[in-house]
Amino acid sequence: MSRPTWHERQRQFREDAILDAAYDLMLEQSYADMSMDELAARVGISKATLYQHFASKEDLAVNVIVRSMQRTEEEIRSVDPALPAIDQLKQAMQRGIERKANTWATRMMVMPTTVVQHPRFQAQHQHMMAEIAKLVEAAKSEGDVVNDIPTPVIVKALSSLFRNDYEEALRASCCSPQQFSKALVSIMFDGIRTGREAKEALGQD
């Protein structure tokens, strides 16, 4: 494979800068309120140059969201594969939720249907769900997850944790995103009958 040319590297650098700035703007405002003029000004390029990289605001949003999802998937893949599958699943969920909680990415989730139904978004979403399903199936085979509950139901329940709004809960709980995500995963996997693990996660013991 040939090395990218200087112009190709420059183009990729500029595209990454656009995506970073768009991500920040979508967190600060929302998809609806973000303007391409403001984005171009923040990156320091013309609006015409911006449209050379992304054909539309919708196309830009899809790329921002897909890249964010890919980074969440990288968090899932970074878990130690030597751990039991149930512990891999716990750590993967905790890292993904913590990443979302760290950005309080509520506004990022308010997207028009055209973005959510975009083929690239759907493909990345399905890929992430497949990775989680693999861990669930492995945990079932190791005897740590009940076989009576269909894997798609478990995956759907777990994936819902990535879509929730945690900003208000984080403000009210007075704990760090790491503590919050650990407690939330503890509740999901271990229940709340004694609350011991949730309390430990919040540093209350």
Coordinates of all heavy atoms in Angstrom, one line a residue, residues 13-84:
F13 N -6.2 15.7 7.8 CA -6.0 16.5 8.9 C -7.2 17.6 9.0 O -7.7 17.8 10.1 CB -4.7 17.3 8.9 CG -4.4 18.2 10.0 CD1 -4.0 17.7 11.2 CD2 -4.7 19.6 9.9 CE1 -3.8 18.6 12.3 CE2 -4.4 20.4 10.9 CZ -4.0 19.9 12.1
R14 N -7.5 18.2 7.9 CA -8.6 19.2 7.9 C -9.9 18.5 8.2 O -10.8 19.1 8.9 CB -8.6 19.9 6.5 CG -9.6 21.1 6.5 CD -9.3 22.0 5.3 NE -9.4 21.3 4.0 CZ -8.3 21.2 3.2 NH1 -7.2 21.7 3.5 NH2 -8.5 20.5 2.1
E15 N -10.1 17.3 7.6 CA -11.4 16.6 7.9 C -11.6 16.3 9.3 O -12.6 16.4 9.9 CB -11.5 15.4 7.0 CG -12.8 14.7 7.0 CD -13.0 13.8 5.8 OE1 -12.9 14.2 4.7 OE2 -13.1 12.5 6.1
D16 N -10.5 15.8 10.0 CA -10.5 15.5 11.4 C -10.8 16.8 12.2 O -11.6 16.7 13.2 CB -9.2 14.9 11.9 CG -9.0 13.5 11.3 OD1 -10.0 12.8 11.0 OD2 -7.8 13.0 11.3
A17 N -10.2 17.9 11.8 CA -10.5 19.2 12.5 C -12.0 19.6 12.4 O -12.6 20.1 13.3 CB -9.6 20.3 12.0
I18 N -12.5 19.3 11.2 CA -14.0 19.7 11.0 C -14.8 18.8 11.9 O -15.8 19.3 12.6 CB -14.3 19.5 9.5 CG1 -13.6 20.5 8.6 CG2 -15.9 19.5 9.3 CD1 -13.8 20.2 7.1
L19 N -14.5 17.5 11.9 CA -15.3 16.6 12.8 C -15.2 16.9 14.2 O -16.2 16.8 15.0 CB -14.9 15.1 12.5 CG -15.3 14.6 11.1 CD1 -14.6 13.2 10.9 CD2 -16.8 14.5 10.9
D20 N -14.0 17.2 14.7 CA -13.8 17.6 16.1 C -14.6 18.8 16.4 O -15.3 18.9 17.5 CB -12.3 17.9 16.4 CG -11.5 16.6 16.4 OD1 -12.1 15.5 16.6 OD2 -10.2 16.7 16.2
A21 N -14.6 19.8 15.6 CA -15.3 21.1 15.8 C -16.8 20.9 15.8 O -17.5 21.4 16.6 CB -14.9 22.2 14.8
A22 N -17.2 20.0 14.8 CA -18.7 19.8 14.7 C -19.2 19.0 16.0 O -20.3 19.3 16.5 CB -18.9 18.9 13.5
Y23 N -18.4 18.1 16.4 CA -18.7 17.3 17.7 C -18.9 18.3 18.8 O -19.9 18.2 19.6 CB -17.6 16.3 18.0 CG -17.8 15.5 19.2 CD1 -18.6 14.3 19.1 CD2 -17.3 15.9 20.4 CE1 -18.8 13.5 20.2 CE2 -17.5 15.1 21.6 CZ -18.3 13.9 21.5 OH -18.5 13.1 22.6
D24 N -17.9 19.2 19.0 CA -18.0 20.2 20.1 C -19.2 21.1 19.9 O -19.9 21.4 20.9 CB -16.8 21.1 20.1 CG -15.5 20.3 20.5 OD1 -15.7 19.2 21.1 OD2 -14.4 20.8 20.2
L25 N -19.5 21.6 18.7 CA -20.7 22.4 18.5 C -22.0 21.7 18.8 O -22.9 22.3 19.4 CB -20.7 22.9 17.1 CG -19.9 24.2 16.8 CD1 -19.9 24.5 15.3 CD2 -20.4 25.4 17.6
M26 N -22.1 20.4 18.4 CA -23.3 19.7 18.6 C -23.5 19.4 20.1 O -24.6 19.2 20.6 CB -23.2 18.4 17.8 CG -23.4 18.6 16.3 SD -22.9 17.2 15.3 CE -24.2 16.0 15.7
L27 N -22.4 19.3 20.9 CA -22.5 19.2 22.3 C -23.0 20.5 23.0 O -23.8 20.6 23.9 CB -21.2 18.8 22.9 CG -20.8 17.3 22.7 CD1 -19.4 17.1 23.4 CD2 -21.8 16.3 23.3
E28 N -22.4 21.6 22.5 CA -22.7 22.9 23.0 C -24.1 23.4 22.7 O -24.8 24.0 23.5 CB -21.7 24.0 22.5 CG -20.2 23.7 23.0 CD -19.2 24.5 22.2 OE1 -19.7 25.5 21.4 OE2 -18.0 24.3 22.2
Q29 N -24.5 23.1 21.5 CA -25.8 23.6 21.0 C -26.8 22.4 20.8 O -27.4 21.9 21.7 CB -25.6 24.4 19.7 CG -24.7 25.6 19.9 CD -24.3 26.2 18.6 OE1 -24.9 26.0 17.6 NE2 -23.3 27.1 18.6
S30 N -26.8 22.0 19.5 CA -27.6 20.8 19.1 C -27.4 20.7 17.6 O -26.9 21.6 17.0 CB -29.1 20.9 19.4 OG -29.7 22.0 18.6
Y31 N -27.8 19.6 17.1 CA -27.7 19.4 15.6 C -28.5 20.5 14.9 O -28.1 21.1 14.0 CB -28.2 18.0 15.2 CG -28.4 17.9 13.7 CD1 -27.3 17.6 12.9 CD2 -29.6 18.0 13.1 CE1 -27.4 17.4 11.5 CE2 -29.8 17.9 11.7 CZ -28.7 17.6 11.0 OH -28.8 17.4 9.6
A32 N -29.7 20.8 15.4 CA -30.6 21.7 14.8 C -30.0 23.1 14.8 O -30.2 23.9 13.9 CB -32.0 21.7 15.4
D33 N -29.4 23.5 15.9 CA -28.9 24.9 16.1 C -27.5 25.1 15.5 O -27.1 26.2 15.2 CB -28.8 25.2 17.6 CG -30.2 25.3 18.2 OD1 -31.2 25.6 17.5 OD2 -30.3 25.1 19.4
M34 N -26.8 24.0 15.3 CA -25.5 24.2 14.7 C -25.6 24.7 13.2 O -26.4 24.1 12.4 CB -24.7 22.9 14.7 CG -23.3 22.9 14.1 SD -22.5 21.3 14.0 CE -23.4 20.6 12.6
S35 N -24.8 25.7 12.9 CA -24.8 26.2 11.5 C -23.5 25.9 10.8 O -22.4 25.8 11.5 CB -25.1 27.7 11.5 OG -23.9 28.4 11.9
M36 N -23.6 25.7 9.5 CA -22.3 25.4 8.8 C -21.4 26.6 8.7 O -20.2 26.5 8.7 CB -22.7 24.9 7.4 CG -23.5 23.6 7.4 SD -22.6 22.2 8.1 CE -21.9 21.5 6.5
D37 N -22.0 27.8 8.7 CA -21.2 29.0 8.8 C -20.4 29.1 10.0 O -19.2 29.4 10.0 CB -22.2 30.2 8.7 CG -22.8 30.4 7.3 OD1 -22.1 30.7 6.3 OD2 -24.0 30.2 7.2
E38 N -21.0 28.8 11.2 CA -20.3 28.9 12.4 C -19.2 27.8 12.5 O -18.1 28.0 13.0 CB -21.3 28.7 13.6 CG -20.7 28.8 15.0 CD -21.7 28.7 16.1 OE1 -22.9 28.5 15.8 OE2 -21.3 28.9 17.3
L39 N -19.5 26.6 12.0 CA -18.6 25.6 12.0 C -17.4 25.9 11.1 O -16.2 25.7 11.6 CB -19.2 24.3 11.4 CG -18.3 23.1 11.3 CD1 -17.7 22.7 12.6 CD2 -19.1 21.9 10.7
A40 N -17.6 26.4 9.9 CA -16.5 26.8 9.1 C -15.6 27.9 9.8 O -14.4 27.8 9.7 CB -17.0 27.4 7.7
A41 N -16.2 28.8 10.4 CA -15.5 29.9 11.1 C -14.7 29.3 12.2 O -13.5 29.7 12.5 CB -16.5 31.0 11.6
R42 N -15.2 28.4 13.0 CA -14.5 27.8 14.1 C -13.3 27.0 13.6 O -12.2 27.0 14.3 CB -15.4 26.9 14.9 CG -14.7 26.2 16.1 CD -15.6 25.5 17.0 NE -16.5 26.4 17.8 CZ -17.1 26.1 18.9 NH1 -17.0 24.9 19.5 NH2 -17.9 27.0 19.5
V43 N -13.4 26.3 12.5 CA -12.3 25.6 11.9 C -11.2 26.5 11.3 O -10.1 26.1 11.2 CB -12.8 24.5 10.9 CG1 -11.6 23.7 10.4 CG2 -13.7 23.5 11.6
G44 N -11.7 27.6 10.8 CA -10.8 28.6 10.1 C -10.7 28.3 8.6 O -9.7 28.5 8.0
I45 N -11.8 27.8 8.0 CA -11.9 27.6 6.6 C -13.1 28.2 6.0 O -14.0 28.7 6.8 CB -11.9 26.0 6.3 CG1 -13.2 25.4 7.0 CG2 -10.7 25.4 6.8 CD1 -13.4 23.9 6.7
S46 N -13.2 28.3 4.7 CA -14.4 28.8 4.1 C -15.5 27.8 4.1 O -15.3 26.6 4.2 CB -14.1 29.3 2.6 OG -13.8 28.1 1.8
K47 N -16.7 28.3 3.9 CA -17.9 27.4 3.8 C -17.8 26.5 2.6 O -18.1 25.3 2.6 CB -19.2 28.2 3.8 CG -20.4 27.4 4.0 CD -21.6 28.3 4.1 CE -22.9 27.5 4.3 NZ -24.1 28.5 4.3
A48 N -17.2 27.0 1.5 CA -17.0 26.3 0.3 C -16.1 25.1 0.5 O -16.3 24.0 0.1 CB -16.5 27.1 -0.8
T49 N -15.0 25.3 1.3 CA -14.1 24.3 1.6 C -14.7 23.2 2.5 O -14.5 22.0 2.3 CB -12.8 24.8 2.4 OG1 -12.2 25.8 1.5 CG2 -11.9 23.7 2.7
L50 N -15.6 23.7 3.4 CA -16.3 22.7 4.3 C -17.1 21.8 3.4 O -17.2 20.5 3.7 CB -17.2 23.5 5.2 CG -18.1 22.7 6.2 CD1 -17.3 21.7 7.0 CD2 -18.9 23.7 7.1
Y51 N -17.8 22.3 2.4 CA -18.7 21.5 1.6 C -17.9 20.6 0.6 O -18.4 19.7 0.0 CB -19.7 22.3 0.8 CG -20.9 22.7 1.7 CD1 -21.1 24.0 2.1 CD2 -21.8 21.8 2.0 CE1 -22.2 24.4 2.8 CE2 -22.9 22.1 2.8 CZ -23.1 23.4 3.2 OH -24.2 23.8 4.0
Q52 N -16.6 20.9 0.5 CA -15.8 19.9 -0.3 C -15.5 18.6 0.5 O -15.3 17.6 -0.1 CB -14.4 20.6 -0.6 CG -14.5 21.7 -1.6 CD -13.1 22.4 -1.8 OE1 -12.1 21.9 -1.3 NE2 -13.1 23.5 -2.6
H53 N -15.6 18.7 1.8 CA -15.4 17.5 2.6 C -16.8 16.8 2.9 O -16.8 15.6 2.9 CB -14.8 17.9 3.9 CG -13.3 18.3 3.8 ND1 -12.3 17.4 3.9 CD2 -12.8 19.5 3.5 CE1 -11.2 18.0 3.8 NE2 -11.4 19.3 3.5
F54 N -17.8 17.6 3.2 CA -19.1 17.0 3.5 C -20.2 17.7 2.7 O -20.3 18.9 2.7 CB -19.4 17.2 5.0 CG -18.3 16.5 5.9 CD1 -17.3 17.3 6.4 CD2 -18.3 15.2 6.1 CE1 -16.3 16.7 7.2 CE2 -17.3 14.6 6.8 CZ -16.3 15.3 7.4
A55 N -20.9 16.9 2.0 CA -21.9 17.4 1.0 C -23.1 18.2 1.6 O -23.7 19.0 1.0 CB -22.4 16.3 0.1
S56 N -23.4 17.8 2.9 CA -24.5 18.5 3.6 C -24.3 18.4 5.1 O -23.4 17.7 5.6 CB -25.8 17.7 3.2 OG -25.8 16.4 3.7
K57 N -25.1 19.1 5.8 CA -25.1 19.1 7.2 C -25.5 17.7 7.7 O -24.9 17.2 8.7 CB -26.1 20.1 7.8 CG -26.2 20.2 9.3 CD -27.1 21.3 9.7 CE -27.3 21.4 11.2 NZ -28.3 22.4 11.6
E58 N -26.4 17.0 7.1 CA -26.8 15.7 7.4 C -25.6 14.7 7.3 O -25.3 13.9 8.1 CB -27.9 15.2 6.6 CG -28.3 13.8 6.8 CD -29.4 13.3 5.8 OE1 -30.5 14.0 5.7 OE2 -29.2 12.3 5.2
D59 N -24.9 14.8 6.1 CA -23.7 14.0 5.9 C -22.6 14.2 7.0 O -22.0 13.3 7.4 CB -23.1 14.3 4.5 CG -21.9 13.5 4.2 OD1 -21.9 12.3 4.4 OD2 -20.9 14.1 3.6
L60 N -22.5 15.5 7.3 CA -21.5 15.8 8.4 C -21.9 15.1 9.7 O -21.1 14.5 10.4 CB -21.4 17.3 8.6 CG -20.6 17.8 9.8 CD1 -19.1 17.5 9.6 CD2 -20.8 19.3 9.9
A61 N -23.2 15.3 10.1 CA -23.7 14.7 11.3 C -23.5 13.2 11.4 O -23.1 12.6 12.4 CB -25.1 15.1 11.5
V62 N -23.8 12.5 10.3 CA -23.6 11.1 10.2 C -22.2 10.7 10.5 O -21.9 9.8 11.3 CB -24.0 10.5 8.8 CG1 -23.6 9.1 8.7 CG2 -25.5 10.6 8.7
N63 N -21.2 11.4 9.9 CA -19.8 11.2 10.1 C -19.4 11.4 11.6 O -18.6 10.6 12.1 CB -19.0 12.0 9.2 CG -18.9 11.4 7.8 OD1 -18.0 10.6 7.5 ND2 -19.7 11.8 6.9
V64 N -19.9 12.5 12.2 CA -19.6 12.8 13.6 C -20.1 11.6 14.5 O -19.4 11.1 15.3 CB -20.2 14.1 14.0 CG1 -20.1 14.3 15.5 CG2 -19.5 15.3 13.3
I65 N -21.3 11.2 14.3 CA -21.9 10.2 15.1 C -21.3 8.9 14.9 O -21.0 8.1 15.9 CB -23.5 10.1 14.9 CG1 -24.2 11.4 15.2 CG2 -24.1 9.0 15.7 CD1 -24.0 11.9 16.7
V66 N -21.0 8.5 13.7 CA -20.4 7.2 13.4 C -19.0 7.1 14.0 O -18.6 6.1 14.6 CB -20.3 6.9 11.9 CG1 -19.4 5.8 11.6 CG2 -21.7 6.6 11.3
R67 N -18.3 8.2 13.9 CA -16.9 8.2 14.5 C -17.0 8.1 16.0 O -16.2 7.4 16.6 CB -16.2 9.5 14.2 CG -14.7 9.5 14.6 CD -13.9 10.7 14.1 NE -14.3 11.9 14.8 CZ -13.5 13.0 15.0 NH1 -12.3 13.0 14.4 NH2 -13.9 14.0 15.6
S68 N -18.0 8.8 16.7 CA -18.2 8.6 18.1 C -18.5 7.2 18.5 O -18.0 6.6 19.5 CB -19.3 9.6 18.6 OG -19.5 9.5 19.9
M69 N -19.4 6.6 17.7 CA -19.8 5.2 17.9 C -18.5 4.2 17.7 O -18.4 3.3 18.5 CB -20.9 4.8 17.0 CG -22.2 5.5 17.2 SD -23.4 5.2 15.9 CE -23.9 3.5 16.1
Q70 N -17.7 4.5 16.8 CA -16.5 3.7 16.5 C -15.6 3.8 17.7 O -14.9 2.8 18.1 CB -15.8 4.2 15.3 CG -16.5 3.8 14.0 CD -16.0 4.4 12.7 OE1 -15.3 5.5 12.8 NE2 -16.2 3.9 11.6
R71 N -15.5 5.0 18.3 CA -14.6 5.2 19.5 C -15.2 4.4 20.7 O -14.4 3.9 21.5 CB -14.4 6.6 19.8 CG -13.6 7.3 18.8 CD -13.4 8.8 19.0 NE -12.5 9.4 18.0 CZ -12.2 10.7 18.0 NH1 -12.8 11.6 18.8 NH2 -11.3 11.2 17.1
T72 N -16.5 4.4 20.8 CA -17.1 3.6 21.9 C -16.8 2.1 21.6 O -16.5 1.4 22.6 CB -18.6 3.8 21.9 OG1 -18.9 5.2 22.2 CG2 -19.3 3.0 23.0
E73 N -16.9 1.7 20.4 CA -16.6 0.3 20.1 C -15.1 0.0 20.4 O -14.8 -1.2 20.8 CB -16.9 0.0 18.6 CG -16.7 -1.5 18.2 CD -17.1 -1.8 16.8 OE1 -17.9 -1.0 16.2 OE2 -16.6 -2.7 16.2
E74 N -14.2 0.9 20.2 CA -12.8 0.7 20.5 C -12.7 0.5 22.0 O -11.8 -0.3 22.5 CB -12.0 1.9 20.1 CG -11.8 2.0 18.6 CD -11.2 3.3 18.1 OE1 -10.8 4.1 19.0 OE2 -11.1 3.6 16.9
E75 N -13.5 1.2 22.8 CA -13.5 1.0 24.2 C -13.9 -0.4 24.6 O -13.3 -1.1 25.5 CB -14.5 2.0 24.9 CG -14.1 3.4 24.8 CD -12.9 3.8 25.8 OE1 -12.6 2.9 26.6 OE2 -12.4 4.9 25.7
I76 N -14.9 -0.9 23.9 CA -15.4 -2.3 24.1 C -14.3 -3.3 23.7 O -14.0 -4.2 24.5 CB -16.6 -2.6 23.3 CG1 -17.8 -1.7 23.7 CG2 -17.0 -4.1 23.3 CD1 -19.0 -1.8 22.9
R77 N -13.6 -3.1 22.6 CA -12.5 -4.0 22.2 C -11.3 -3.9 23.0 O -10.5 -4.8 23.0 CB -12.2 -3.6 20.7 CG -13.2 -4.0 19.7 CD -12.8 -3.6 18.3 NE -13.7 -4.0 17.3 CZ -13.8 -5.2 16.7 NH1 -12.9 -6.1 17.1 NH2 -14.7 -5.4 15.8
S78 N -11.1 -2.8 23.8 CA -9.9 -2.7 24.6 C -9.9 -3.4 25.9 O -8.9 -3.5 26.6 CB -9.6 -1.2 24.9 OG -10.6 -0.7 25.8
V79 N -11.0 -4.0 26.2 CA -11.2 -4.8 27.4 C -10.3 -6.1 27.3 O -10.2 -6.7 26.3 CB -12.6 -5.2 27.7 CG1 -12.8 -6.2 28.9 CG2 -13.5 -4.0 27.9
D80 N -9.7 -6.5 28.4 CA -8.8 -7.6 28.5 C -9.5 -8.9 28.1 O -10.5 -9.3 28.8 CB -8.2 -7.8 29.9 CG -7.2 -8.9 30.0 OD1 -7.0 -9.6 29.0 OD2 -6.7 -9.1 31.1
P81 N -9.2 -9.5 26.9 CA -9.9 -10.7 26.5 C -9.7 -12.0 27.4 O -10.4 -13.0 27.2 CB -9.3 -11.0 25.1 CG -7.9 -10.3 25.1 CD -8.1 -9.2 26.0
A82 N -8.7 -11.9 28.3 CA -8.4 -13.0 29.2 C -9.5 -13.1 30.3 O -9.6 -14.1 31.0 CB -7.0 -12.9 29.8
L83 N -10.2 -12.0 30.5 CA -11.2 -12.0 31.6 C -12.4 -12.9 31.2 O -12.7 -13.1 30.0 CB -11.7 -10.6 31.8 CG -10.8 -9.5 32.4 CD1 -11.4 -8.1 32.3 CD2 -10.4 -9.9 33.8
P84 N -13.2 -13.4 32.2 CA -14.4 -14.0 31.9 C -15.3 -13.1 31.1 O -15.3 -11.9 31.2 CB -15.0 -14.3 33.3 CG -13.9 -14.4 34.2 CD -12.9 -13.3 33.6

